[in-house]
Amino acid sequence: MTPMPQTDSAATTAVPSAPRPSPRPWAVVLTACAGQFLVVLDVSVVNVALPSMRADLGLSAAGLQWVISAYAIAFAGFMLLGGRAADLYGRKAMFLLGLGLFTAASVAGGLAQEGWQLVAGRAVQGLGAAVLSPATLTLVTGAVTAGAARTRAIATWTAVGAAGGAAGGFVGGLLVDLLSWRWVLLVNVPIGVLVLAGALLWLREGRTVAGRRLDLPGAVLVTAGLATLAYGIVQTEEAGWGDPATLLTLLGGLALLGVFVAVEARTAAPLMPLKLFRTRAVSAANVGILLCGSSSFGMWFFMTTYAQSVLGYTPLQAGLALVPSSLSVVVGSKVAPRLMPAVGARNLAAAGALLGAAGFAWQSTMTADGSFLTTILGPGILMMGGIGLATTPLAALATSSAAPGEAGLVSGLVNTSRTMGGALGLATLTTLATAVTGPTTNPETLTSGYAAAFRVSTAILIGAAVLMLVWLPRWTGMVPSKRDHGV
């Protein structure tokens, strides 16, 4: 790997070389992936439990929305800060801190007796996830030597994360049907404790930047900007894009991010070195991840809703129906490293996006009386298999050019792109589907709204494929060439 030049050397008293690979690399990968699975699972696992939560705690419709939004806003808002903290204070320390917060918040949320306690627990869960998630990818890339082995490890991380999001409906439905809604959160506790034990046993510290302080103004601005933007996005689902309060919130978030960029350009030791975006692999891959995320997050939502609201599936049946799609994203992610040396990361990412687009186009032909084989199984396998093929080379390209001192930040950026893309895509597609459906919510009109959302997702992925072919660097092996680091 040809690392990026180290920036801001005057502000850094010592920059150690990249950490040596772990003596137990796959134990580290297993631990990191388990943490990532929990983080992504909790984005969607509570969806099927919302009616039970509302009945038990007396939540209003707005309060119910905040059970989802509190997690998403804290997760997206603190992600970049969590990534930089892993660089400055150590990836193992941040992994343990994030997982500890996440696990403790799961206990608090699962035992909540009032609606505000549940929402507060979800917000702290999101904060813990934002600290934990960037550290997981940094641990994976640091544990395995550069080359084919690292690409396979990244593929495993990608597959596990995607499987976590895909398994949310099934796991949530199973727990609610067999136990209660509280176990949607409490199930994280024994798993979190087990992963914490593995982290203490197998992980070793990997601080990569010494003698450098956290850019506090930058941290406050980017966290406030991302959190405000995420809040505005999730509010569109209830108030709509044209609501003055929603527009003001979105513009406020963008303004804060604009001030953040201006501050970072003048700071000696910035939280986000803007030179990072001069690297084609980082910039183009993150845009590709954002676009893929905007489609895939919406896919799980619309397919789960279609199965239950139109086809009449129970929550557990809907979760089981999407298991093949979940497996296909895992297979796509794991096959990608074998194909990358032959076809190139750029070509594979574009091909994956096009395969996913074919699945979305097929899904857009859905009808109110569709069968499992033609309206769930076949399209779902194509959609998520393509997303898996695309995401692994994109994540590998984004992280391959990071200097040791920027690895956590780049990992946080990858996760932020996926999370913000998913939130933005889901809000946009939901608004579109609602506009097409109109006031009538019979199976036929609901299906027409969902089909329109899938058509837009098809166009997004086709556009993403074209962008990848034009913008991504040429990379036929496992390491990009020096010329691919420039604009």
Side-chain angles (χ1 to χ4, degrees), residues 6-8 11-16 80-95 97 131 134-135 138 205-219 264 268-273 403-410:
Q6 179 65 34
T7 58
D8 307 315
T12 307
T13 58
V15 181
L80 285 181
L81 181 58
R84 177 48 94 196
D87 291 329
L88 297 180
Y89 307 121
R91 59 195 67 170
K92 178 180 179 179
M94 290 302 102
F95 184 93
L97 174 62
V131 175
T138 311
E205 196 48 273
R207 183 183 299 184
T208 54
V209 176
R212 179 172 174 175
R213 293 183 178 181
L214 182 67
D215 171 22
L216 188 58
E264 296 302 276
L271 175 74
M272 170 68 76
E406 313 293 347
L409 180 60
V410 172

Side-chain angles (χ1 to χ4, degrees), residues 92-378:
K92 178 180 179 179
M94 290 302 102
F95 184 93
L96 294 172
L97 174 62
L99 185 56
L101 272 176
F102 184 88
T103 305
S106 297
V107 175
L111 299 179
Q113 300 302 309
E114 301 287 343
W116 69 266
Q117 295 171 350
L118 175 60
V119 172
R122 288 286 288 169
V124 178
Q125 265 193 319
L127 175 60
V131 175
L132 170 63
S133 189
T136 62
L137 182 54
T138 311
L139 284 164
V140 167
T141 57
V144 185
T145 55
R150 178 178 293 177
T151 305
R152 289 194 298 271
I154 292 173
T156 300
W157 179 88
T158 302
V160 168
F170 169 67
V171 173
L174 188 66
L175 292 172
V176 172
D177 280 358
L178 296 182
L179 298 170
S180 78
W181 70 262
R182 296 184 181 278
W183 281 96
V184 169
L185 300 174
L186 293 176
V187 72
N188 295 324
V189 179
I191 301 174
V193 170
L194 185 63
V195 177
L196 279 169
L200 289 169
L201 179 64
W202 290 321
L203 302 187
R204 66 184 184 189
E205 196 48 273
R207 183 183 299 184
T208 54
V209 176
R212 179 172 174 175
R213 293 183 178 181
L214 182 67
D215 171 22
L216 188 58
V220 171
L221 284 168
V222 75
T223 301
L226 287 172
T228 303
L229 188 61
Y231 173 74
I233 290 170
V234 299
Q235 283 298 99
T236 61
E237 298 182 32
E238 180 179 350
W241 289 90
D243 183 76
T246 299
L247 290 174
L248 185 62
T249 303
L250 291 171
L251 291 174
L254 292 173
L256 285 169
L257 293 177
V259 174
F260 165 71
V261 172
V263 168
E264 296 302 276
R266 294 169 174 79
T267 301
L271 175 74
M272 170 68 76
L274 299 182
K275 292 181 179 180
L276 191 67
F277 293 101
R278 296 179 183 175
T279 305
R280 288 173 59 193
V282 172
S283 299
N286 273 281
V287 173
I289 289 169
L290 185 146
L291 293 175
C292 288
S294 70
S295 298
S296 61
F297 276 52
M299 177 269 182
W300 296 121
F301 173 79
F302 287 115
M303 288 305 297
T304 302
T305 307
Y306 170 71
Q308 295 181 69
S309 301
V310 177
L311 300 184
Y313 288 19
T314 67
L316 182 56
Q317 288 173 332
L320 287 171
L322 293 177
V323 167
S325 303
S326 306
L327 294 177
S328 69
V329 73
V330 174
V331 171
S333 299
K334 295 300 291 180
V335 168
R338 299 179 181 274
L339 300 177
M340 285 168 62
V343 303
R346 180 182 65 176
N347 294 335
L348 182 61
L354 290 175
L355 181 64
F360 277 91
W362 184 0
Q363 189 65 68
S364 70
T365 64
M366 62 203 303
T367 61
D369 58 350
S371 68
F372 169 72
L373 290 177
T374 59
T375 59
I376 293 181
L377 180 63

